[in-house]
Amino acid sequence: MAAVLFDFSGTLFRIESTETWLRAVLDDRGVTLSGPESAEAARALRAAGALPGGAPPLRVPEELAGVWEVRDESSELHRAAYTGLSRQVPLPDPGLHDALYDRHMTPCAWSPYPDAVEVLSALRERGIAVGVVSNIGWDLRPVFREHGLDRYVDTYVLSYEHGIRKPDPRLFATACEALGVEPGRTLMVGDDRRADGGAAALGCRVHFVDHLPVAERPGALRPVLELVR
């Protein structure tokens, strides 16, 4: 293998819990909810799927179905989809919905998986190119920089910057072209069998990991080092 492509959310990084996400925004905005009220709001936001990178919605409202399907094709669509889901949940201040969306884009809302630095640094030492291919509606580069992982990434291919999303093979092809590698010598690592599995249509090898909390997935990326030998 000459290159490894990684998904972002659920593969290299994990978003904070819905409870932590909500509490951070409430504290920042000076909004007070009782313990039971905060717990119920977090439960409802989780069921709505309002936290990008978190649990998917139990049900997408009919009026959001169209934007939800193409949410990763632009920053405007991404914000509209997720704030639309958030607004299904009554909150004491209407401004909280945009504040919640803004919070999820901050580096402090994300944690790298425990073995991410180990695996990325080992790939760099072996001279294997690394790309990040993500269905997303905002620039994740600051997250990588803040957590010290940007030094290991050679290219970022983000759906909203190209107007196409995984599993479209063109997104993976763009990454391979940027790295100057053939798809047949490229491994795609991700947590979504449909989206990330689209790389197989291009001729890439594909390896899946489970989208779990950071504490529950200490070493799932390490097999990548064996696959690229």
Side-chain angles (χ1 to χ4, degrees), residues 1 9 40 47 58 69 72-73 100 106 140-141 152 155 169 172 175 203 206 212:
M1 291 293 170
S9 175
E40 173 55 25
L58 296 180
E69 180 62 25
D72 295 315
E73 294 182 9
L100 285 167
T106 61
L140 50 71
R141 294 172 183 86
Y152 306 117
T155 193
F172 306 105
V206 181
L212 295 170

Side-chain angles (χ1 to χ4, degrees), residues 12 111-118 213-215 217-219 221-222:
L12 290 175
S111 297
Y113 281 96
D115 55 345
V117 171
E118 171 193 341
V214 167
R217 218 196 73 188
L221 292 171
R222 292 186 183 126

Side-chain angles (χ1 to χ4, degrees), residues 97-119:
H97 299 291
D98 276 305
L100 285 167
Y101 184 85
D102 292 339
R103 162 74 187 184
H104 104 275
M105 295 187 289
T106 61
C108 60
W110 295 88
S111 297
Y113 281 96
D115 55 345
V117 171
E118 171 193 341
V119 171

Side-chain angles (χ1 to χ4, degrees), residues 14-30:
R14 170 80 179 203
I15 191 66
E16 63 191 346
S17 70
T18 308
E19 291 79 7
T20 301
W21 175 57
L22 175 61
R23 175 51 53 195
V25 171
L26 292 176
D27 290 347
D28 184 64
R29 303 276 296 215

Side-chain angles (χ1 to χ4, degrees), residues 7-202:
D7 173 50
F8 167 56
S9 175
T11 300
L12 290 175
F13 282 85
R14 170 80 179 203
I15 191 66
E16 63 191 346
S17 70
T18 308
E19 291 79 7
T20 301
W21 175 57
L22 175 61
R23 175 51 53 195
V25 171
L26 292 176
D27 290 347
D28 184 64
R29 303 276 296 215
V31 177
T32 301
L33 291 179
S34 68
E37 288 173 332
S38 180
E40 173 55 25
R43 183 207 63 76
L45 287 166
R46 186 166 49 251
L51 174 58
L58 296 180
R59 183 185 68 84
V60 177
E62 184 177 349
E63 66 271 19
L64 291 176
V67 71
W68 178 256
E69 180 62 25
V70 295
R71 65 192 181 280
D72 295 315
E73 294 182 9
S74 77
S75 56
E76 295 79 12
L77 290 168
H78 197 266
R79 179 181 285 271
Y82 281 101
T83 56
L85 291 175
S86 176
R87 289 189 175 94
Q88 305 300 306
V89 179
L91 294 175
D93 176 359
L96 288 170
H97 299 291
D98 276 305
L100 285 167
Y101 184 85
D102 292 339
R103 162 74 187 184
H104 104 275
M105 295 187 289
T106 61
C108 60
W110 295 88
S111 297
Y113 281 96
D115 55 345
V117 171
E118 171 193 341
V119 171
L120 291 174
S121 63
L123 292 173
R124 174 54 54 90
E125 289 172 4
R126 296 183 190 181
I128 295 173
V130 169
V132 171
V133 183
S134 178
N135 280 352
I136 199 165
W138 51 276
D139 187 4
L140 50 71
R141 294 172 183 86
V143 176
F144 279 78
R145 287 196 294 268
E146 181 70 21
H147 291 279
L149 272 65
D150 181 64
R151 71 189 76 174
Y152 306 117
V153 179
D154 299 294
T155 193
Y156 296 89
V157 178
L158 312 180
S159 62
Y160 85 102
E161 293 181 337
H162 297 273
I164 51 177
R165 54 198 164 88
K166 300 180 289 186
D168 192 320
R170 290 178 295 170
L171 208 62
F172 306 105
T174 298
C176 290
E177 290 166 8
L179 295 174
V181 297
E182 294 296 324
R185 300 186 64 205
T186 302
L187 173 68
M188 175 66 204
V189 182
D191 68 298
D192 188 319
R193 279 162 172 74
R194 179 178 178 273
D196 299 312
L202 191 67

